[in-house]
Amino acid sequence: MRSSISSSRRSLAPARLNTLSLVTLAALLTGCLLIVVDHGLRTRGALPSLQNTRELWALARDRVAADKATDSIVLMGASRMQTNIALDELRQRSGGRVHQLAVSGGAPFRMFEDIVENTEFRGTIVLSMVSPWLVPGLGRDALKERFVVYHADHWNWARALDTRLENAVAARFVFSHPHYGLRSVLSSLVLHGVPFRRPLYLTTAPDREQALMFEHADRAALLKRRVESTREDFAGKAMPGAAEWERIVAEFAALVGKFRARGGEVVLMRLPSSGALRDVEEGFAPRAEYWASLARALPGPSLHYEDAPALRGFALPDGSHIDAADKPAFTAAFADALEGFGVFDR
């Protein structure tokens, strides 16, 4: 009996070895295939890109909360702040950490409030704003639930770990983005005979910096869509009268003052827009009537791009954003402005 059992065990050993070898071989072949696919996508101009999710924002929010340095900088605002600034160049100029908390498509008011009220951060917050973003009903609270409340009530270590693992893959492999995923590639091959018709024109890095490459996009269509969507956002709405605007500004100024009282600094900026989009924005909230009074009432420095020639000389293909090729020069002008306000001396 013992001999039979011993013989059975010996016969199972090669089977297990063969199974393990097959699994290992399959894994190696799959890995090689994915590398070949990734290389093929890159040769056609594709670049790795993360998805600009609330989870990615939450990771950056965690880094801000843990940052105790007074020379650190947080960028807040919407897509202009997220796409126009080259973070590595700004880090080199400032000598400190730079965190990207801007969120494309939304006002930063509630995010700013969250950092002031719920962290001990004491560095500099550079806040990209347009006047309507301070007004309830005009986008001020639009992203609160999706980002601030999500981070406070649902974000945890497990979600953070899962996001880091996903990001590690997405930052290295082109095919991990849905635009270059198997279904998209096969569909494009069937319909057009190529893996994709155009590379992504908007990419997102692990530090949340975004880059716009307008050569991969229909510029005219983007401009038309942006102007139309801005008109739709303002349709049927109006900026408040003088008394209500004064109350709104005073509320915001108190929040800025609270942050400055603990040693932080706030730099308010109006980043460039142009053409028809600029006309729509100016027509809805005239600078002389709203921005000027906001800048006067706030403690700390402020800058409107129209008062900064170095920030005005850049092409904005969609009326709102610069091309990735112009980011180093724009960031240099942006950094010059911050240096002029003494931000790099903190």
Side-chain angles (χ1 to χ4, degrees), residues 131-132 135 238-242 245 249 284-295:
S131 302
V135 181
M239 289 291 286
W245 178 246
V249 169
F284 185 78
R287 177 187 177 185
E289 190 174 347
Y290 292 100
W291 176 272
S293 59
L294 172 63

Side-chain angles (χ1 to χ4, degrees), residues 15-38:
R16 291 196 187 102
L17 185 59
N18 288 337
T19 300
L20 180 61
S21 298
L22 288 173
V23 170
T24 302
L25 179 60
L28 288 173
L29 290 174
T30 301
C32 291
L33 177 61
L34 290 176
I35 290 172
V36 170
V37 170
D38 194 75

Side-chain angles (χ1 to χ4, degrees), residues 53-67 74-75 98-102 115 119 151 155 163-164 167 206-209:
T53 63
R54 63 182 179 179
E55 289 78 16
L56 191 61
W57 183 89
L59 285 178
R61 164 64 171 74
D62 286 346
R63 292 192 290 269
V64 172
D67 193 338
V74 171
L75 304 180
V98 177
H99 306 281
Q100 180 58 273
L101 285 187
I115 296 301
T119 75
H151 183 271
W155 185 244
T163 302
R164 288 191 181 96
N167 292 348
D207 60 5
R208 300 193 69 252
E209 178 182 336

Side-chain angles (χ1 to χ4, degrees), residues 287 291 302-312:
R287 177 187 177 185
W291 176 272
S302 63
L303 181 66
H304 195 289
Y305 74 92
E306 291 179 342
D307 298 326
L311 294 175
R312 292 202 311 260

Side-chain angles (χ1 to χ4, degrees), residues 170-194:
R172 289 166 176 80
F173 297 104
V174 171
F175 58 77
S176 65
H177 194 282
H179 184 73
Y180 305 114
L182 180 61
R183 180 179 298 178
S184 296
V185 168
L186 289 177
S187 176
S188 183
L189 284 171
V190 171
L191 295 175
H192 309 293
V194 292

Side-chain angles (χ1 to χ4, degrees), residues 65-329:
D67 193 338
K68 308 302 181 184
T70 58
D71 64 348
S72 293
I73 296 172
V74 171
L75 304 180
M76 305 189 79
S79 56
R80 293 171 193 170
M81 183 65 89
Q82 195 172 1
T83 60
N84 289 5
I85 307 303
L87 298 188
D88 283 342
E89 281 83 348
L90 186 56
R91 291 180 183 113
Q92 291 175 6
R93 285 288 299 274
S94 71
R97 300 183 188 93
V98 177
H99 306 281
Q100 180 58 273
L101 285 187
V103 176
S104 295
F109 177 83
R110 292 303 181 189
M111 284 81 164
F112 175 70
E113 179 185 56
D114 174 48
I115 296 301
V116 174
E117 300 289 0
N118 300 315
T119 75
E120 298 178 0
F121 181 73
R122 295 183 298 114
T124 297
I125 296 177
V126 185
L127 195 58
S128 169
M129 290 286 288
V130 293
S131 302
W133 288 347
L134 290 178
V135 181
L138 288 174
R140 186 174 88 159
D141 304 318
L143 298 180
K144 181 178 179 180
E145 290 291 329
R146 184 181 171 196
F147 289 89
V148 177
V149 173
Y150 171 77
H151 183 271
D153 295 345
H154 304 289
W155 185 244
N156 54 44
W157 69 267
R159 284 192 167 100
L161 177 60
D162 185 58
T163 302
R164 288 191 181 96
L165 292 174
E166 288 182 3
N167 292 348
V169 174
R172 289 166 176 80
F173 297 104
V174 171
F175 58 77
S176 65
H177 194 282
H179 184 73
Y180 305 114
L182 180 61
R183 180 179 298 178
S184 296
V185 168
L186 289 177
S187 176
S188 183
L189 284 171
V190 171
L191 295 175
H192 309 293
V194 292
F196 54 88
R197 299 183 70 185
R198 286 177 174 172
L200 285 171
Y201 82 96
L202 174 65
T203 60
T204 304
D207 60 5
R208 300 193 69 252
E209 178 182 336
Q210 291 192 305
L212 281 162
M213 292 155 285
F214 284 102
E215 71 268 23
H216 300 321
D218 184 335
R219 302 185 185 200
L222 286 175
L223 175 59
K224 180 181 178 182
R225 185 162 63 245
R226 189 161 301 279
V227 172
E228 289 176 349
S229 66
T230 303
R231 287 196 179 113
E232 290 171 2
D233 290 342
F234 294 156
K237 301 172 184 176
M239 289 291 286
E244 178 63 10
W245 178 246
E246 184 178 352
R247 185 196 65 78
I248 290 171
V249 169
E251 177 187 5
F252 181 53
L255 198 59
V256 172
K258 183 175 183 177
F259 183 68
R260 297 185 84 225
R262 74 175 187 226
E265 182 60 283
V266 176
V267 178
L268 186 68
M269 279 199 172
R270 169 63 160 91
L271 294 180
S273 57
S274 66
L277 180 62
R278 189 261 179 201
D279 293 342
V280 172
E281 293 173 338
E282 177 65 15
F284 185 78
R287 177 187 177 185
E289 190 174 347
Y290 292 100
W291 176 272
S293 59
L294 172 63
R296 285 195 303 268
L298 288 187
S302 63
L303 181 66
H304 195 289
Y305 74 92
E306 291 179 342
D307 298 326
L311 294 175
R312 292 202 311 260
F314 293 89
L316 306 173
D318 66 346
S320 188
H321 308 93
I322 64 170
D323 189 84
D326 291 327
K327 285 176 69 171

